[in-house]
Amino acid sequence: VRVFYRTLTRSRLTASQIQRHKASLPKNFSDYESIKHDFNPQIPEYFNFARDVMDKWAEKEKVGQRAATPALWWVNDRKQEIQWSFEELGFHSRKLANVLSGLCQLNMRDRLFLILPRIPEWWLVNIACLRTGTVLLPGTSQLTARDILHRLQTSGAKCIITDESIAPLVEDVASQCPSLQSKILVSNRNRDGWRNLGDLMNNVASDHECVETRSDDPMTIFFTSGTTGLPKMTQHSHCSYGIGLTVNGRYKFKSLQHCLCAGEPINPEVMKKWREATGLDIYEGYGQTETVLVAATFKGMKIKPGSFGKASPAYDVQVVDDDGAVLPRGEEGNLAIRVKPLKPFSLFTEYTGDPVKTEECYRGDFYLTGDRGVMDEDGYLWFVGRADDVILSAGYRIGPFEVENALIEHEAVAESAVVGSPDPIRGEVVKAFVVLTPEYRSHDKEQLVKDLKTHVKKMTSPYKYPRKVEFVEQLPKTISGKIRRVELRKREWGQI
């Protein structure tokens, strides 16, 4: 953005320094037991990632105790690139911190809403918020005006930073957001009613003293994906992410060597096809906005297709009943994290502004994830479905994921979603919403329904087959790509 952009590119690493930035094999724990043994973080009373980690790295970099590899290396689709050392990242983030605390008059715990694509300014705002104690609320560029209104009103954010693509949407709703005091635009041009980030940063000093934050002070608020209702504000502390993510391991790649997935359970058939195409396995992980990483198939562990692995060493994960009692291995129940006698530091603090919803998450000694699952004899965890998604048909409990796994193995199915549909005899039955592959869109639909039912009966327990099938062009999804089964379920039960 104007002079600011030229300032960003003023100092680049030399060719020799780039050459020394050699990729290496994935670095991770050798086996699951070593993960559990080695993970023993000491949580200090005060912690700030910008001050205690990034600035320390910058100091080591300056005196030659740390290799001069890029802290940030950004390349866009036009081959433009920016490389910053840790010292440069500190320089720019301190200037932006002065914009937030000075020109925008944001104090500790004030909230800032950030909607930007993955451009360098996105990372600068993240670090600047750490330095000022401002609570960051990140949002995707796919948000609608309605989404933005909900987030601004619910959070009470005092400042928003975005680009020209989102600015008109903000303008449509800003008059309904009395807390919003500052609108900052990342752009090469000015816009009425907005302050330009480049201009602001060119007129502030580069020295800034990082605020002192306690480990349990609020650092960021993520909005949940909204798979079961309106997105909730999930608050994390300075230690829950800054220290909590250390369990994930670190990877550096010269080329594709290690593959991970998360977000939605991955079908075993997809894993099989990926391995056939790449020669690499997919290591599945499971977590939530509230939890960071809950469980994973860590490198060195045996992969069980369909399972998302074992508990993260940060958590004691169990399968419990509705009262919080631990269930025997192999029995389906609620996926839960033990929070007593000590609550894990990496677990979210609260649903901000909603103490009732926060309290509803806990049963006995456990936090309930809202997901159903099974733990096998080896300690591997298997996803059944969201608690609200499990279908109760004629006394049988049926998880949608298993039925969807069976359907995806049929060559006619591009993707599917399974929900319960009302039935006068069984209470509810399994219904599958199916998106067909292009090759099968012109086929006889009645015959396809019969074929799919027969296929599922062969692939899983016969009582789980979909007694109803509806072909659709697409499935309703959240902004993050998760299937909104709640919307399909409400449609079936006449609530939409």
Side-chain angles (χ1 to χ4, degrees), residues 250-324:
R250 299 203 308 269
Y251 300 89
K252 297 178 181 179
F253 308 110
K254 182 177 181 180
S255 58
L256 187 62
Q257 297 177 8
H258 191 71
C259 305
L260 310 113
C261 71
E264 277 272 301
I266 193 166
N267 302 100
E269 180 67 14
V270 174
M271 298 180 75
K272 177 184 175 184
K273 290 182 177 179
W274 180 266
R275 180 172 178 77
E276 290 173 353
T278 67
L280 297 170
D281 290 309
I282 296 177
Y283 289 77
E284 190 161 4
Y286 165 76
Q288 298 180 307
T289 309
E290 295 88 339
T291 60
V292 194
L293 183 70
V294 174
T297 304
F298 295 96
K299 191 167 179 64
M301 283 175 54
K302 174 184 177 182
I303 294 176
K304 292 188 176 184
S307 165
F308 53 80
K310 295 184 179 182
S312 158
Y315 292 128
D316 176 3
V317 180
Q318 299 291 337
V319 177
V320 304
D321 64 19
D322 291 339
D323 295 319

Side-chain angles (χ1 to χ4, degrees), residues 34 95 142 244 419:
S34 75
K95 287 176 74 73
Q142 298 180 59
V419 300

Side-chain angles (χ1 to χ4, degrees), residues 64-79:
Q65 295 179 358
R66 181 181 177 87
T69 53
L72 175 70
W73 192 338
W74 173 86
V75 184
N76 68 9
D77 54 6
R78 297 188 299 277
K79 306 294 183 177

Side-chain angles (χ1 to χ4, degrees), residues 162-181:
T162 191
D163 61 10
E164 289 185 285
S165 68
I166 298 295
L169 304 181
V170 176
E171 291 167 353
D172 288 344
V173 302
S175 61
Q176 303 174 60
C177 306
S179 64
L180 187 61
Q181 299 172 2

Side-chain angles (χ1 to χ4, degrees), residues 3 113 135 158 161 165 209 224 231 240-241 252 293 333 342 363 376:
V3 180
F113 192 22
V135 179
K158 292 186 177 181
I161 299 180
S165 68
E209 186 174 346
T224 60
S240 66
Y241 261 62
K252 297 178 181 179
L293 183 70
L342 293 176
R363 293 286 191 285
D376 68 18

Side-chain angles (χ1 to χ4, degrees), residues 95-164:
K95 287 176 74 73
L96 184 44
N98 281 326
V99 170
L100 300 183
S101 59
L103 300 177
C104 296
Q105 298 183 328
L106 295 178
N107 299 314
M108 279 189 66
R109 295 178 178 257
D110 283 344
R111 296 170 184 169
L112 182 152
F113 192 22
L114 174 65
I115 311 177
L116 285 177
R118 292 302 189 262
I119 57 177
E121 291 84 351
W122 188 90
W123 280 275
L124 286 185
V125 175
N126 274 260
I127 302 168
C129 284
L130 294 175
R131 295 190 183 280
T132 59
T134 306
V135 179
L136 179 71
L137 293 88
T140 170
S141 296
Q142 298 180 59
L143 294 176
T144 65
R146 182 179 178 182
D147 297 326
I148 293 169
L149 176 63
H150 169 70
R151 284 158 174 76
L152 285 173
Q153 289 183 335
T154 306
S155 68
K158 292 186 177 181
C159 177
I160 185 168
I161 299 180
T162 191
D163 61 10
E164 289 185 285

